[in-house]
Structure formats: C-alpha cells, structure tokens
Amino acid sequence: MREDHSVAEMANEVLMRQAKRRTDRSGEPIEEAMGAVLNTEAGRQLRELRDGLHGEERAEESQVGMVRERAKERVEDLGRRLGEPPKFPTHR
C-alpha cells in the first residue's frame, strides 16, 4: 500500500485482486468473479469501507483514526470495569 492511496483505492485493489484470483481458478469472466467477491462478507465490508464516509481519506490517516478509536474504546472498557469515568486528553 502506498502512503498516498485513499481508502477507496486500497479497497478497490483488494477487491480486484480477489476477483482476478477467482477468474484464474474458475475461468469465469472478471465481471462475474467481481460480483461473487462483492457478495462475500469480506467483499461487503470492503465495499462499505470504499463507499463510506472515509473512502476518500488517505489510507494512512484512516488507519491512525481506527487505532485511536480502538484505544479509546479499550480505555472506556477498562474504566467501566474499574468503575471509573473515562479520561481522555483534550489535545490531538
């Protein structure tokens, strides 16, 4: 993945690679293979990622945001288990 790839470009590349592999294995036309790939759970998730709010973000920015969100969720979960209110830094 290149740093300047958008989330949508990255998702499209993965979908296309999967469709090409399917075409190579089955001999079906690429359009049919792509349709089959898009109908898998992973294909649906990639399509949602590609077409969603963050599709035009650079992939690197999106990954940083996801890591930040997961860390925040872990802190909140730990705070709930310890019975403490979550505390988050106010700066970015």
Side-chain angles (χ1 to χ4, degrees):
M1 177 182 74
R2 294 185 346 237
E3 279 187 31
D4 61 342
H5 269 186
S6 70
V7 171
E9 290 169 326
M10 183 183 68
N12 277 331
E13 286 181 10
V14 173
L15 290 167
M16 186 55 72
R17 269 197 312 270
Q18 292 299 316
K20 285 180 181 177
R21 284 189 189 128
R22 186 178 172 100
T23 295
D24 291 345
R25 283 193 310 265
S26 68
E28 66 189 314
I30 190 73
E31 297 83 6
E32 288 179 27
M34 181 59 81
V37 168
L38 289 170
N39 284 323
T40 65
E41 181 60 28
R44 281 189 289 276
Q45 290 175 1
L46 283 167
R47 186 175 53 220
E48 289 173 12
L49 187 62
R50 176 192 69 194
D51 299 338
L53 297 173
H54 303 287
E56 295 307 315
E57 272 185 24
R58 284 189 17 234
E60 182 181 3
E61 292 170 0
S62 179
Q63 289 174 336
V64 168
M66 285 188 286
V67 168
R68 189 176 291 128
E69 184 61 31
R70 287 182 189 142
K72 181 179 172 184
E73 289 170 3
R74 285 192 293 265
V75 168
E76 288 173 346
D77 183 55
L78 181 59
R80 278 192 295 276
R81 285 190 270 149
L82 296 173
E84 299 173 4
K87 298 174 186 168
F88 301 104
T90 56
H91 67 283
R92 280 202 147 190

